[in-house]
Amino acid sequence: MFSLDGKVALVTGGSRGIGRAICVALAKAGAKVVINYAGNEAAAAETLDLVRQAGSDGEIARFDVADADAVDQAIQDIAKRNEGLHILVNNAGISLDQLLIRIKPEELERTMAVNVGGALWCSKAAIRLMMRKRYGRVINLSSVVGEGGNKGQAVYAASKAGIIGLTKTLAKEYASRGVTVNCVTPGFIETDMTTALPESVKEQAIAETPLGRMGAPEDVAAAVLFLASDEAGFITGHTLRVNGGMLI
Ligand code: NAP
């Protein structure tokens, strides 16, 4: 439907879950996909196979998105090797869920460093390159809980609300340079992040979702593909909900 022929895309946390589905969707549309991951090399290699099966080419790049220097070096190398970087999907994320009264300082620091810091450092390195070419698409993964909150997820929700503020700010800063910045807020999606949850929590989440099911990673990937396309060129600073009606 959308063509990304000739485009190079970097997907952080592309080894598993939603990130993997995004890699495949972008590859099916013709983009060359760089799959970032933190530690799970086998999963990243599996995603690369899927990207190739989808008819495109790709490569794997291991770095911690929370490490500003490593991010800067990796993104410069990626752009040099591939003669550019057109699309950045800030998908890597973690959730260390606790009730407020049990949260430890290191849980706050690591969640913010990965979820907010990761998107910020990757955007900084990528947008610096994109603005020179006067073209870029940045898509950030926020969450329904960043908009609506959720018991037991104070730190995660704060980090995902932060992503919405970051998105709107970067959209304003770089619109004049041809770079659009949008975010997607998924609802309850079936991945490693959610399979670990107790059955009762999943049942409750489905009960709160008018469309009556958990989302698939592909549901989110379709929205990201649209925002990455040329057709979405007049959309920036937007928050696109992919939540089955959980929050309207
Ligand atoms: P997931 O299955 O837990 O996968 C997380 C991915 O992020 C993995 O590829 C992991 O790499 C990577 N990652 C984690 N820390 C990293 C770091 N420091 N540097 C680089 N990569 C890192 O997560 P998911 O459910 O697909 O979620 C993807 C995104 O969507 C996250 O931002 C999440 O907050 C958001 N989201 C998810 C849901 C949901 O219901 N699942 C709902 C709303 C929003 P390794 O494989 O190497 O560990």
Side-chain angles (χ1 to χ4, degrees), residues 7-187:
K7 300 272 168 46
V8 178
L10 166 62
V11 181
T12 68
S15 47
R16 293 186 281 125
I18 294 170
R20 172 180 285 179
I22 293 169
C23 288
V24 173
L26 300 183
K28 274 187 189 157
K32 179 168 184 190
V33 182
V34 182
I35 303 151
N36 158 258
Y37 72 107
N40 198 333
E41 193 172 349
E46 255 177 64
T47 303
L48 181 57
D49 280 347
L50 293 171
V51 160
R52 289 185 174 144
Q53 282 168 34
S56 194
D57 196 11
E59 61 181 52
I60 291 172
R62 178 181 187 169
F63 57 88
D64 177 356
V65 294
D67 181 338
D69 292 335
V71 164
D72 190 49
Q73 192 57 56
I75 289 183
Q76 282 189 50
D77 292 347
I78 288 163
K80 201 176 279 175
R81 263 198 314 278
N82 296 288
E83 291 170 16
L85 177 63
H86 308 93
I87 299 161
L88 167 67
V89 183
N90 285 310
N91 165 81
I94 55 170
S95 70
L96 305 171
D97 298 339
Q98 292 283 11
L99 291 173
L100 174 70
I101 51 172
R102 299 206 182 107
I103 296 167
K104 298 187 186 73
E106 55 271 26
E107 289 165 347
L108 173 70
E109 279 155 27
R110 185 62 186 159
T111 305
M112 288 297 177
V114 174
N115 293 5
V116 181
L120 192 144
W121 301 128
C122 291
S123 297
K124 181 182 174 189
I127 290 176
R128 198 191 281 137
L129 302 167
M130 290 169 174
M131 57 196 276
R132 286 194 207 129
K133 300 277 166 89
R134 307 230 152 226
Y135 183 92
R137 295 273 184 275
V138 178
I139 301 109
N140 298 322
L141 270 287
S142 174
S143 167
V144 65
V145 310
E147 296 183 281
N150 195 26
K151 278 190 273 183
Q153 293 198 299
V155 170
Y156 180 72
S159 75
K160 291 295 170 179
I163 286 292
I164 297 173
L166 177 70
T167 300
K168 292 181 180 184
T169 299
L170 300 187
K172 288 183 179 182
E173 278 184 23
Y174 299 101
S176 65
R177 309 299 181 97
V179 179
T180 66
V181 187
N182 292 289
C183 71
V184 174
T185 50

Side-chain angles (χ1 to χ4, degrees), residues 1-5 7 24-31 54 218-232 240:
M1 192 168 37
F2 301 109
S3 172
L4 299 179
D5 282 344
K7 300 272 168 46
V24 173
L26 300 183
K28 274 187 189 157
E218 291 73 19
D219 292 319
V220 182
V224 172
L225 170 62
F226 167 60
L227 291 171
S229 71
D230 283 344
E231 284 80 354
L240 181 51

